[in-house]
Structure formats: structure tokens, C-alpha cells
């Protein structure tokens, strides 16, 4: 081969690599490509062609690595140069406040703290030498991880070559965007429980060409740079300069730092004093569902790197960072038996009775298993040892099986017949249902729901009385409550004249509950307070209008309502077409309940009844208020009134509600020309719509 040709190939490979690195970065990191896909593919194919002709000229960080390489046998174990320790955890903003105080005291100086999102993905450490990615290592046990370099190279936002020839270890989190997860998982034979598991599973594929097909992404959040950066903020800046993808959902909290410069440079970050941190946490938690990725908490870090060094580590955790976890911790326990519950809609829920276990400060002995598909996915059997978690305030759920039972119990199956009434169960969608309207458990569930404090709120008629009415056969369905002669309870223990008169008064009073309360109290699937509100706003001001739409099967009319999806619309149509539902409504109408809105409804207090006066607006709040404490209460009105809220003032903010002592947000709002609204003006605006704030 002529030497000139070989040299030409070498320089063309170098040139193409350089170009393609740039194009990949523009496309995947910066989101603004400068060449067409066609041109990109042409250059890419040319490079691949040259590389296959001259394999010895192929660079280890070649852009063609993005599509994966030959199968790797194993993922060899590699020692981390700096151990990757887990973080200490907190579950409330009080704990965070305590930690900040403790840390500040320990350091003996005023500190600033950076708050980042804790992305629920796969932690990775990227080792660069002379600016080239040489190793990507999983967290492992914190000291030794697995080398999965070939697979990580397929992730477009992981730089293979840095613009500076430096040695650095960068920590990041690899994740799969939620929407892509749904899309990919749907096609999988054995679906994954969450995006994290799918991401972790793909990173362990032997063929990196298979990994390349999974649209994984990465955020970088720590870098151990040789020259001493002064602060974590500077580290984040440096990472950005080195073309890593860094999240811009960052909060900086300090009682001493002058953040004016930073605020100008990072309009998307949030800034505040320590007392504003709890609200930031609350807001971040409320915004998590809208993110393209899953987060399971926030991380609060000391900004001053020198102080980090001084604070050092406990045996298990760095002292300079703490994780705020949204979810309560998990516990491990054993399933004693599995039973099914029949809900008020006839839906069957399998429930595991477990050995009592302490989780997040309460004792758990019943754990939901959701449905048959969930049981099969986790392969749950009686006698299995499982981890149980409490997500927020909802019912605890089994997360995974830790150890199978030793007696060989098979994966559990929902019985064929309803345990309450013996009817054959039917499968609709993901769930089993008992379709017998008179099923005792359903009647019981409907009744308890209906009288509950968040629904009709029938005074003096509690669960015990309801139970007695059912057991004695006095009440078989909701309308019976209003038809039953309560005098007949005379002689039952605890039912004197006064008690009976009180129950009757409670029922009488409940008859004036407005339509927007009556409708969700019926316990019809999908028709809760929010959907009710949407329906009423869209003109469905009476039950007759809803039933008419259902009878004519006009689900497209419902789908047209913003906030109502196809599934909800289909359920509404189905439910309001069912004869027994219509009959129940007809009878409740006869006994005198409100099934249409009246003029008086408009002036009712409470967020449920707010007209859409904030629609199309994006609000932010700062400072403190007389009537709204915490100030997030004010934002509840905005949300209930169809507006959006965010924790930070940005280009999309339309209004800033400013109380006394508003700081940086107020300044920024003024700079951006955002409309600034005082507490008085805000209250006035609500009042104009008939909403009184006490
Ligand atoms: Zn039944």
C-alpha cells in the first residue's frame, strides 16, 4: 500500500472523528444540530468504512463506538480511585434544616448549599485520561464496580473526548426518559417495573449494539478535578465547559452568598435563603411528575469544596451531603397469606397479610399487590420474603421478592369467584371485577365512601352505624339511607332519641350538598372531585346532561374537555350507561339530593369551586403573606383556577405574587417585566369571582 494513501486515510479518519464528535455533541447535548441527518450518516458511514479498512487506525474513542462493539464476555471488576459512598438520608424538610444547622456548626463558618435532583437511574463513574474516556464503572459496592465502558460509550451525551486533555473522574446518573420507557416496555416480553430497572438491565447487555438501541441519557453532577475548584457551582460550570450534560434544575441556598452574578448567569436556577428551602423542596416534589425522568428525591450539598474536605466522611457517608427522599423507606417482611378485597366499584384487590413491620414510623401488616399482572411480574407467593415500601401516604406496596418461600408455594392466583357474594369474577383491563351490584362488600364500600368526611360528610352517621344498618339488612344501597325510618333503631344499644334525631338532622343537612359534592360521592370510577369540576366547567351542569352523553356514546365530546383523557371518557360513558347506576341516581334524585348546579354554587369557598380565572397564566410566589401561610396555599388557588405554577421566575413566568420581603425573585421578575401582584390585588381578584379568603 502506498504510504501516501495510508497517511491520507489517517488524516481523513482524524478529520471525520473530529467532525462527528462535534455533530454528536450539537445534536445530543446542545440540542441544535448544524448538519442534516443525511449528511451526518454519510460522514459516519465513510468513517466506518475507513475504520474497517484500516482497523489499526481506529481510535478507541471513535464516534462509531456509539453504535456498539463486538460482544464483551464479562464486565470485569474495577476498583474506584475514590470510593463512591451512599448518602445519608432525610425524609422531612425539618431533618434537612437540622442537618444544615449541624453542618454549619461543625464547619464553624457560614456555608452555602446546592440542591440537585436525585435522579432515579444508574450511578456511573467516568474516568478520563488526557481527555479521553478510558473507563466507565458502575457504583458496585462503592469500592469495586463493573467496567461497562463499551456500553456506556453508546450513550450519546457521554463525551468520549473532552476539549481539554485532562485526567478527571466524573460522576453521573444514567437514566431512561419516562416516555421512552413506556414505549419500549410495552413491547417487552417481560416488562420492567420502572425506568431504572430497564436502564440497569440494558447496561448489562453483553452486546453493546443492543444497548445502543435503548435511548439512555446521562446527567453529570460531580467531577474530581486536579486543579482545585473552589466551589461545587464551579465544578458544575467546569463540567458544562467540558461538554457534559448538567441539569439546570438547581437550587442555591445561602444566608451569606451574594448571588446576584449567578442569578444573571443562570436564570433557570433557583436562589434563596435557608428559610426558603422547605418550600423549594415542596415545589420540587410537586413538579416531579412533569419531568421527563424519574427522581426519587433531592440532594443537598455543601457548596464550598474546602469545607467538604474538612468535614470528611463517617464510615458510611460523606458529612457534606444529604439526600432528601420523597419516598418513605422500605422494610423487609414475610407474606403470611394473600386475600382479596372487593372494592365499592366491584374491583378486586389482592392484599398480602404480612408479619408486622415498621416502615417510616408506622406498623404495616397489610400490603397491596395491585392486580394479578403485578403478582405475576414479581412472582409473588405466600410465604415469600418481600420488601415493602410506602410511597407518600398511599397504601404500602410490595416492591420485590427478596427470598422465595421454602415450602414450594406457587405464584398466587386470584380466585375464580367473589369471596363476598360468590359471583364469577370478570377481567376488565388490568383488574378482576365482581359485577354483582348487590354484592355485600360493594354495598358496604359504597356506603362507607358516600358518608365519609371527604364526600357527603353526613354528620352523626359514622362507620359503626353504617355497619349496623348493613348487617341488619336495613340498607342495601345508598338511597335506602334516606328512606329508612331511623326510629326503628330505638332499642339498639347506643341509639337513644337524641342520637337518632342527630342522625336524621345530618341526613337532612346532606341533602343540600351541591352537585359538585354529590357526584364524586357516588363512587363512580374516574369521577372524583377533579373530573367533576372539569365536567361542570365544560357545561355538564346536571347529571341528566352526563347521562344523555353516555347513552349516546359520545365519548369524543368528553375527550374534547381539557384534562379528560380517552380512558376516563370511556369509563364515564360505560358507567353512566349501566342500568343499576342510572337507577341509583334516579332514586337519589327522588329522595331529594342535588343533581344539578345552582346559582349559589359559584360562591362556595374552597379550591374545588374556583372558576378557570388563572387559565393560560404561569405564577411564581415570593415573600411572606398574611392570609397564605405557607405561601404555597396561594398557589393552590392558582392551580385550582387552571393556572400553572413554578418555583422559579423565568421567561415563561407571567405573574409573580409578591409578599413582604421578596428578594431575588422579585428583582428578576422586574427585570423580565413579569406582572407583579400584591397580596391585596390577588385577594381582590379572587373576590371578583366570588371567592372569599378569610
Ligand atoms: Zn361479589
Amino acid at each position: 500500500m502506498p504510504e501516501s494513501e495510508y497517511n491520507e486515510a489517517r488524516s481523513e479518519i482524524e478529520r471525520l472523528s473530529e467532525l462527528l464528535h462535534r455533530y454528536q455533541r450539537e445534536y445530543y447535548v446542545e440540542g441544535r444540530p448544524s448538519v442534516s441527518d443525511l449528511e451526518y450518516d454519510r460522514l459516519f458511514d465513510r468513517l466506518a468504512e475507513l475504520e474497517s479498512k484500516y482497523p489499526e487506525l481506529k481510535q478507541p474513542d471513535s464516534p462509531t463506538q456509539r453504535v456498539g462493539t463486538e460482544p464483551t464476555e464479562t464486565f470485569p471488576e474495577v476498583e474506584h480511585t475514590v470510593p463512591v459512598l451512599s448518602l445519608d438520608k432525610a425524609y422531612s424538610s425539618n431533618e434537612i434544616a437540622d442537618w444544615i444547622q449541624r453542618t454549619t456548626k461543625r464547619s464553624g463558618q457560614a456555608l452555602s448549599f446546592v440542591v440537585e435532583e436525585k435522579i432515579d437511574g444508574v450511578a456511573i463513574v467516568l474516568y478520563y485520561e488526557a481527555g479521553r474516556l478510558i473507563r466507565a464503572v458502575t457504583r458496585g459496592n462503592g469500592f469495586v464496580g463493573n467496567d461497562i465502558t463499551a456500553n456506556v460509550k453508546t450513550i450519546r451525551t457521554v463525551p468520549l473526548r473532552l476539549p481539554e486533555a485532562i485526567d478527571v473522574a466524573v460522576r453521573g446518573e444514567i437514566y431512561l426518559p419516562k416516555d421512552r420507557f413506556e414505549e419500549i416496555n410495552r413491547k417487552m416480553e417481560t416488562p420492567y417495573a420502572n425506568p431504572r430497572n430497564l436502564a440497569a438491565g440494558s447496561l448489562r447487555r453483553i452486546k453493546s449494539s443492543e444497548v445502543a438501541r435503548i435511548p439512555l441519557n446521562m446527567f453529570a453532577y460531580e467531577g474530581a478535578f486536579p486543579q482545585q475548584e473552589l466551589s461545587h457551582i464551579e465544578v458544575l460550570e467546569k463540567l458544562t465547559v467540558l461538554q457534559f450534560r448538567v441539569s439546570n434544575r438547581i437550587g442555591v441556598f445561602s444566608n451569606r452568598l451574594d448571588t446576584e452574578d449567578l442569578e444573571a448567569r443562570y436564570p433557570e436556577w433557583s436562589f434563596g435563603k435557608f428559610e426558603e428551602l422547605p418550600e423549594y423542596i415542596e415545589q420540587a416534589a410537586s413538579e416531579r411528575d412533569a419531568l421527563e425522568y424519574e427522581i426519587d428525591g433531592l440532594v443537598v450539598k455543601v457548596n464550598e469544596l474546602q469545607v467538604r474536605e474538612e468535614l470528611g466522611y463517617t464510615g458510611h457517608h460523606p458529612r457534606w451531603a444529604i439526600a432528601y427522599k420523597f419516598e418513605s423507606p422500605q422494610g423487609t417482611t414475610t407474606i403470611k397469606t394473600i386475600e382479596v378485597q372487593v372494592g365499592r366499584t366491584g374491583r378486586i384487590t389482592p392484599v398480602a397479610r404480612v408479619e408486622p413491620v415498621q416502615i417510616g414510623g408506622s406498623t404495616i401488616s397489610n400490603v397491596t399487590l395491585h392486580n394479578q399482572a403485578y403478582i405475576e411480574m414479581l412472582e409473588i407467593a405466600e410465604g415469600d420474603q418481600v420488601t415493602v415500601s410506602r410511597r407518600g401516604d398511599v397504601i404500602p406496596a410490595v416492591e420485590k421478592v427478596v427470598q422465595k418461600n421454602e415450602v414450594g408455594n406457587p405464584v398466587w392466583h386470584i380466585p375464580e369467584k367473589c369471596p363476598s357474594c360468590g359471583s364469577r369474577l370478570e377481567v376488565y383491563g388490568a383488574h378482576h371485577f365482581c359485577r354483582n351490584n348487590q354484592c355485600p362488600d360493594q354495598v358496604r364500600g359504597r356506603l362507607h365512601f358516600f358518608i365519609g368526611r371527604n364526600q357527603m360528610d353526613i354528620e352523626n352517621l359514622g362507620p359503626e352505624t353504617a355497619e349496623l344498618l348493613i348487617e341488619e339488612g336495613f340498607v342495601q344501597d345508598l338511597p335506602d339511607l334516606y328512606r329508612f325510618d331511623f326510629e326503628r333503631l330505638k332499642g339498639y344499644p347506643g341509639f337513644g332519641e337524641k342520637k337518632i334525631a342527630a342522625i336524621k338532622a345530618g341526613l337532612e343537612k346532606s341533602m343540600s350538598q351541591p352537585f359538585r359534592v354529590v357526584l364524586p360521592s357516588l363512587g363512580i370510577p374516574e369521577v372524583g372531585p377533579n373530573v367533576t369540576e372539569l365536567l361542570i366547567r365544560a357545561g355538564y351542569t346536571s347529571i341528566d346532561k352526563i347521562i344523555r352523553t353516555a347513552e349516546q356514546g359520545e365519548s369524543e365530546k368528553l375527550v374534547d374537555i381539557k384534562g379528560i383523557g380517552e380512558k376516563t371518557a370511556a369509563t364515564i360513558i360505560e358507567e353512566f350507561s349501566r342500568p343499576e347506576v342510572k337507577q341509583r341516581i334516579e332514586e337519589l334524585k327522588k329522595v331529594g339530593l342535588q343533581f344539578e348546579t345552582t346559582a349559589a354554587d359559584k360562591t362556595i369557598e374552597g379550591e374545588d369551586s374556583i372558576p378557570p380565572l388563572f387559565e393560560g397564566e404561569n405564577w411564581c410566589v415570593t415573600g411572606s403573606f398574611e392570609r397564605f401561610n405557607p405561601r404555597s396555599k396561594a398557589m393552590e388557588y392558582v392551580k385550582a383556577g387552571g393556572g400553572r405554577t413554578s418555583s422559579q421566575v423565568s421567561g415563561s413566568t407571567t405573574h409573580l405574587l409578591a409578599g413582604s420581603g421578596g428578594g431575588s425573585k422579585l428583582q428578576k421578575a422586574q427585570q423580565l417585566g413579569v406582572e407583579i401582584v400584591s397580596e391585596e390585588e390577588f385577594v381582590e381578584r379572587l373576590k371578583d369571582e366570588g371567592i372569599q379568603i378569610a
Side-chain angles (χ1 to χ4, degrees):
M1 173 195 325
E3 200 175 326
S4 65
E5 192 187 316
Y6 188 77
N7 282 340
E8 257 168 45
R10 182 202 302 273
S11 62
E12 189 177 356
I13 284 176
E14 276 169 17
R15 192 177 57 82
L16 286 170
S17 299
E18 202 67 46
L19 261 180
L20 287 165
H21 273 304
R22 198 183 97 207
Y23 294 155
Q24 287 184 348
R25 195 176 64 240
E26 286 174 352
Y27 187 88
Y28 292 106
V29 182
E30 294 158 7
R32 42 185 168 87
S34 65
V35 289
S36 68
D37 290 355
L38 210 66
E39 172 66 0
Y40 177 86
D41 289 345
R42 193 183 67 76
L43 298 173
F44 192 95
D45 292 345
R46 173 66 183 153
L47 177 61
E49 183 193 332
L50 285 169
E51 284 177 346
S52 73
K53 203 166 163 193
Y54 307 102
E56 69 280 12
L57 290 179
K58 181 174 178 170
Q59 298 168 328
D61 62 352
S62 166
T64 58
Q65 299 273 308
R66 299 288 196 200
V67 295
T69 54
E70 290 303 297
T72 324
E73 277 300 295
T74 51
F75 303 110
E77 291 197 331
V78 182
E79 207 166 316
H80 287 291
T81 50
V82 179
V84 187
L85 298 181
S86 61
L87 297 180
D88 205 358
K89 294 171 189 66
Y91 296 94
S92 70
S93 46
N94 277 344
E95 287 175 70
I96 296 286
D98 286 350
W99 177 82
I100 284 181
Q101 206 172 21
R102 228 172 32 240
T103 308
T104 306
K105 203 171 157 201
R106 192 188 280 268
S107 78
Q109 56 183 287
L111 299 177
S112 50
F113 294 86
V114 176
V115 185
E116 295 168 357
E117 285 173 336
K118 192 169 179 302
I119 291 158
D120 193 10
V122 180
I124 194 83
V125 187
L126 306 171
Y127 292 95
Y128 291 83
E129 278 176 22
R132 290 182 184 230
L133 175 63
I134 53 147
R135 253 194 323 279
V137 185
T138 62
R139 204 185 131 210
N141 64 6
F143 299 93
V144 175
N146 289 103
D147 185 335
I148 55 167
T149 313
N151 287 348
V152 170
K153 277 183 177 173
T154 66
I155 301 168
R156 267 65 171 192
T157 43
V158 173
L160 303 181
R161 188 190 296 182
L162 306 178
E164 285 174 42
I166 53 168
D167 294 357
V168 62
V170 171
R171 285 186 56 179
E173 196 80 6
I174 294 171
Y175 70 91
L176 180 63
K178 286 193 279 199
D179 55 341
R180 305 308 301 273
F181 166 71
E182 307 272 337
E183 187 186 315
I184 295 166
N185 213 31
R186 224 179 291 134
K187 296 176 204 145
M188 290 228 164
E189 227 165 274
T190 34
Y192 284 88
N194 52 51
R196 173 182 13 97
N197 289 2
L198 206 165
S202 347
L203 286 168
R204 296 261 166 188
R205 297 271 178 89
I206 298 293
K207 283 189 185 167
S208 54
S209 56
E210 286 177 12
V211 187
R213 285 201 290 271
I214 308 287
L216 297 169
N217 210 335
M218 190 195 79
F219 276 123
Y221 58 84
E222 284 286 348
F225 293 101
Q227 72 274 39
Q228 201 65 59
E229 316 296 323
L230 292 176
S231 69
H232 184 60
I233 292 173
E234 285 175 26
V235 168
L236 295 178
E237 289 181 324
K238 182 79 180 176
L239 287 171
T240 310
V241 169
L242 293 177
Q243 284 147 6
F244 287 94
R245 188 162 164 263
V246 175
S247 169
N248 58 24
R249 295 180 59 83
I250 302 265
V252 177
F253 292 86
S254 169
N255 285 352
R256 65 156 193 103
L257 205 64
D258 178 10
T259 53
E260 206 171 299
D261 261 15
L262 284 170
E263 288 183 41
R265 247 181 304 155
Y266 299 105
E268 274 161 327
W269 292 13
S270 296
F271 297 87
K273 304 228 180 296
F274 291 158
E275 66 262 29
E276 291 175 84
L277 191 52
E279 199 205 345
Y280 180 79
I281 290 174
E282 193 189 317
Q283 183 84 26
S286 75
E287 285 170 4
R288 61 190 288 215
D289 287 344
L291 300 173
E292 59 135 355
Y293 42 83
E294 301 254 12
I295 61 174
D296 57 354
L298 301 171
V299 181
V300 185
K301 298 171 172 177
V302 171
N303 182 35
E304 292 78 11
L305 297 189
Q306 180 59 38
V307 175
R308 283 194 188 181
E309 217 145 280
E310 288 161 17
L311 288 170
Y313 299 81
T314 70
H316 313 282
H317 313 293
R319 283 205 182 88
W320 45 263
I322 192 162
Y324 170 83
K325 299 275 277 182
F326 292 139
E327 270 141 33
S328 312
Q330 296 194 331
T332 303
T333 184
T334 304
I335 296 178
K336 292 193 286 188
T337 58
I338 298 174
E339 292 164 15
V340 295
Q341 281 177 355
V342 188
R344 61 175 197 275
T345 61
R347 192 163 101 179
I348 304 293
T349 307
V351 176
R353 313 279 176 209
V354 300
E355 297 290 349
V357 57
Q358 282 278 328
I359 301 173
S362 51
T363 307
I364 306 294
S365 44
N366 298 319
V367 186
T368 183
L369 299 173
H370 301 299
N371 55 33
Q372 186 64 43
Y374 191 80
I375 292 173
E376 280 166 23
M377 190 181 76
L378 297 182
E379 302 186 308
I380 295 166
E382 289 180 337
D384 285 358
Q385 199 186 29
V386 292
T387 53
V388 171
S389 76
R390 282 190 82 188
R391 291 167 185 268
D393 293 329
V394 300
I395 317 157
V398 166
E399 291 287 315
K400 65 177 178 200
V401 174
V402 182
Q403 201 178 341
K404 293 301 292 176
N405 69 89
E406 284 167 1
V407 292
N409 287 336
V411 171
W412 194 82
H413 274 273
I414 287 178
E416 287 179 0
K417 288 179 175 169
C418 173
S420 177
C421 70
S423 306
R424 184 164 283 277
L425 299 179
E426 296 172 33
V427 179
Y428 285 88
H431 299 278
H432 287 68
F433 285 86
C434 165
R435 284 303 196 183
N436 169 16
N437 193 41
Q438 303 301 322
C439 174
D441 275 2
Q442 287 186 47
V443 171
R444 182 172 284 116
R446 255 195 319 267
L447 195 63
H448 281 292
F449 182 76
F450 183 78
I451 64 176
R453 197 176 306 156
N454 294 324
Q455 286 77 36
M456 292 296 278
D457 190 17
I458 300 177
E459 289 167 23
N460 307 306
L461 178 54
E464 295 84 9
T465 306
E467 209 52 46
L468 175 72
L469 293 170
I470 294 168
E471 266 169 34
E472 291 295 309
F474 293 144
V475 167
Q476 263 117 38
D477 205 344
L478 304 181
D480 298 336
L481 268 183
Y482 293 90
R483 293 187 293 226
F484 176 63
D485 178 8
F486 278 82
E487 299 298 332
R488 288 174 64 187
L489 288 184
K490 255 183 205 156
Y492 281 87
F495 288 90
E497 256 177 53
K498 255 171 103 178
K499 169 82 175 168
I500 288 173
I503 294 175
K504 281 159 92 173
L507 280 162
E508 184 69 32
K509 200 173 159 198
S510 78
M511 288 165 69
S512 60
Q513 286 280 25
F515 179 45
R516 55 170 36 94
V517 172
V518 175
L519 184 55
S521 300
L522 299 178
I524 291 167
E526 303 282 344
V527 188
N530 289 338
V531 167
T532 297
E533 198 55 41
L534 293 171
L535 286 169
I536 292 174
R537 280 186 206 166
Y540 289 93
T541 49
S542 74
I543 198 86
D544 293 342
K545 288 183 182 168
I546 298 173
I547 291 176
R548 213 173 302 135
T549 300
E551 282 172 342
Q552 285 160 6
E554 297 170 317
S555 71
E556 67 283 355
K557 277 194 178 169
L558 299 177
V559 175
D560 279 348
I561 302 171
K562 201 178 154 202
I564 292 187
E566 273 176 32
K567 183 172 159 270
T568 303
T571 307
I572 293 172
I573 298 284
E574 193 194 325
E575 288 293 325
F576 285 95
S577 304
R578 287 170 57 183
E580 65 269 24
V581 171
K582 287 196 279 187
Q583 196 197 332
R584 185 177 307 132
I585 288 169
E586 213 40 56
E587 289 179 30
L588 285 170
K589 236 194 237 176
K590 267 188 213 146
V591 299
L593 295 195
Q594 307 285 330
F595 277 101
E596 56 187 336
T597 56
T598 63
D601 290 353
K602 290 195 180 65
T603 53
I604 293 166
E605 275 192 24
E607 56 195 62
D608 277 350
S609 56
I610 294 185
L613 74 154
F614 297 109
E615 223 154 59
E617 297 176 356
N618 191 349
W619 284 70
C620 190
V621 62
T622 186
S624 56
F625 299 86
E626 261 175 45
R627 299 176 186 78
F628 308 105
N629 190 19
R631 64 195 191 192
S632 57
K633 269 194 186 156
M635 292 300 101
E636 291 303 318
Y637 282 92
V638 172
K639 283 187 245 173
R644 292 197 301 136
T645 65
S646 53
S647 55
Q648 39 211 306
V649 173
S650 71
S652 61
T653 309
T654 59
H655 295 75
L656 176 71
L657 177 61
S660 57
S664 58
K665 285 187 207 171
L666 186 58
Q667 280 176 11
K668 193 189 283 176
Q670 281 161 342
Q671 283 164 12
L672 292 173
V674 170
E675 186 175 335
I676 293 160
V677 179
S678 73
E679 181 172 9
E680 287 309 315
E681 288 163 344
F682 187 74
V683 170
E684 206 48 45
R685 211 172 144 177
L686 288 168
K687 206 169 146 195
D688 287 346
E689 296 289 339
I691 301 148
Q692 298 281 352
I693 309 291

